[in-house]
Amino acid sequence: MPDRISLIVPFYNEGEGVSFFSETIVPLLEQIPNTEWEIVCIDDGSSDDTLARLVLLSQTDKRFRIIELSRNFGKEAAMTAGLDAATGAAVVIIDADLQDPPQLINTMIEKWRDGAEVVLGRRVDRSSDSMAKRVTASWFYTLHNRLTKIQIPENVGDFRLMDRCVVEALKRLPEQQRFMKGLFAWVGFRTVTLDYVRASRSVGTSKFSGMALWNFALEGLTSFSTLPIRIWTYIGFVGAVLTLFYGLFIFIRTLIYGSSVPGYASVFFAVTFLGSLQIISIGMLGEYIGRIYIETKKRPIYITRRTYN
Ligand code: UDP
Ligand code: MG
């Protein structure tokens, strides 16, 4: 009996890349011995002809299953939709632009058959990404892994194989704000890592701007660590102790030398500095309260308009 495997692919405005994707991936998958594939394509509310092209594919090739989301929910939600729909004994997630080498899927399957429950792809060379993206990514991983117990492996994207048991574990995580890299790491399981070189995009452009990546990083940090909110207690405490000593110093000085008008600078400094600390900490609180607010609404992570096949 061949193993049934699901390939999960999020598509957002990838119209010009659909045929490149299917022409590359199908022969590759067919070469992998003893496997039977379903290719779950999620159209994440594309505004171009991505959906039409995918539907056309699904009509001629029954292995293609298309999930049409009602609007753009973001890549994390699209992947969740794919994981929910996948029926395979293992799933492989890959980007539609095939920047991650699909040739690696064969090795991933081999590792899985050898007993790995998660097979990660790790980019050893990110020279196809801009310098700024690489540097900020590296800062993010360092900061995140210092702040939290959940260690996200560096330079590992969403390109990975997961056994059915891992998928079932992921499906039990109810959060709406899905920082998948963190969730993947959180569920654990026996993991094998494969190194590869990431190519640059051959068609279309990246869907993640600088601001989107910043929000993504903030999401990652706040969904796995409460340190950013707790740290203000300590800063406040240290500040209080320092200002107390300073107050005492001024009091004693006044007793000995009498009152003097100077002191404008120090008052001004104390007011503005502490004021800005307070604003930052209120903002930090707001960040978490906002997240609590969104979670309590218990909205679904995505809405499907229609499925094909
Ligand atoms: N994507 C998506 N929804 C979005 C943004 C992106 O489904 O809102 C998909 C996109 O079609 C691609 C994958 O996520 O298949 C990765 O996107 P991209 O290549 O733009 O990211 P990068 O490689 O630059 O990190
Ligand atoms: Mg890409």
Side-chain angles (χ1 to χ4, degrees):
M1 278 289 280
D3 291 312
R4 185 168 172 77
I5 322 254
S6 312
L7 187 72
I8 297 177
V9 200
F11 283 80
Y12 177 53
N13 290 344
E14 303 279 1
E16 47 188 332
V18 170
S19 52
F20 167 72
F21 171 78
S22 62
E23 280 156 24
T24 318
I25 206 83
V26 170
L28 269 168
L29 296 183
E30 281 168 353
Q31 274 168 23
I32 302 177
N34 236 337
T35 51
E36 186 188 281
W37 288 86
E38 67 169 356
I39 305 171
V40 183
C41 303
I42 303 95
D43 173 51
D44 187 14
S46 302
S47 52
D48 64 358
D49 58 351
T50 303
L51 179 71
R53 285 172 189 251
L54 286 174
V55 170
L56 212 63
L57 259 176
S58 72
Q59 284 163 354
T60 51
D61 189 338
K62 289 293 161 206
R63 285 170 293 189
F64 280 87
R65 292 177 55 203
I66 317 300
I67 300 171
E68 180 192 356
L69 301 187
S70 59
R71 64 169 169 87
N72 178 243
F73 281 90
K75 185 182 177 191
E76 313 290 301
M79 287 193 290
T80 306
L83 288 171
D84 288 344
T87 59
V91 307
V92 176
I93 304 180
I94 195 165
D95 285 355
D97 56 14
L98 296 182
Q99 269 186 293
D100 309 296
Q103 293 78 5
L104 213 63
I105 296 176
N106 194 2
T107 328
M108 286 181 162
I109 302 279
E110 280 168 15
K111 296 282 177 204
W112 172 65
R113 286 182 171 146
D114 288 345
E117 288 155 330
V118 179
V119 186
L120 301 179
R122 180 170 54 198
R123 308 159 195 169
V124 280
D125 168 20
R126 293 188 58 161
S127 52
S128 67
D129 285 327
S130 72
M131 187 68 190
K133 193 165 176 175
R134 273 181 284 159
V135 170
T136 49
S138 146
W139 287 347
F140 168 75
Y141 287 116
T142 311
L143 184 66
H144 186 281
N145 292 347
R146 287 251 170 93
L147 287 186
T148 73
K149 282 194 197 130
I150 306 300
Q151 299 297 302
I152 297 183
E154 192 158 344
N155 291 334
V156 166
D158 299 313
F159 181 40
R160 62 182 60 227
L161 176 145
M162 291 184 289
D163 184 80
R164 172 64 28 202
C165 62
V166 184
V167 177
E168 291 306 320
L170 279 173
K171 286 206 281 201
R172 285 175 50 204
L173 304 183
E175 48 251 82
Q176 326 262 298
Q177 295 167 55
R178 305 187 74 79
F179 180 66
M180 290 301 254
K181 279 180 204 229
L183 300 183
F184 288 147
W186 188 88
V187 294
F189 290 102
R190 260 197 312 275
T191 304
V192 170
T193 308
L194 300 176
D195 288 340
Y196 68 93
V197 177
R198 196 172 203 227
S200 43
R201 233 179 201 276
S202 46
V203 276
T205 52
S206 175
K207 308 293 181 290
F208 292 94
S209 64
M211 203 56 203
L213 287 172
W214 163 254
N215 286 332
F216 192 55
L218 210 59
E219 172 125 16
L221 288 175
T222 49
S223 45
F224 284 91
S225 167
T226 48
L227 190 65
I229 201 171
R230 255 187 299 143
I231 200 165
W232 297 102
T233 316
Y234 302 108
I235 293 178
F237 186 73
V238 170
V241 169
L242 289 179
T243 42
L244 192 72
F245 278 117
Y246 185 59
L248 265 176
F249 164 73
I250 292 177
F251 180 68
I252 293 168
R253 195 182 60 179
T254 316
L255 283 186
I256 299 172
Y257 298 106
S259 163
S260 60
V261 182
Y264 169 76
S266 53
V267 171
F268 185 76
F269 171 75
V271 169
T272 50
F273 182 67
L274 291 178
S276 39
L277 279 192
Q278 280 168 349
I279 292 174
I280 297 173
S281 58
I282 292 171
M284 215 70 223
L285 271 172
E287 193 66 41
Y288 281 90
I289 291 175
R291 270 160 217 284
I292 297 169
Y293 176 58
I294 292 173
E295 293 295 338
T296 53
K297 288 196 270 206
K298 299 229 178 303
R299 286 186 180 148
I301 297 159
Y302 58 88
I303 302 280
T304 310
R305 179 179 292 126
R306 214 187 136 174
T307 57
Y308 304 81
N309 283 354

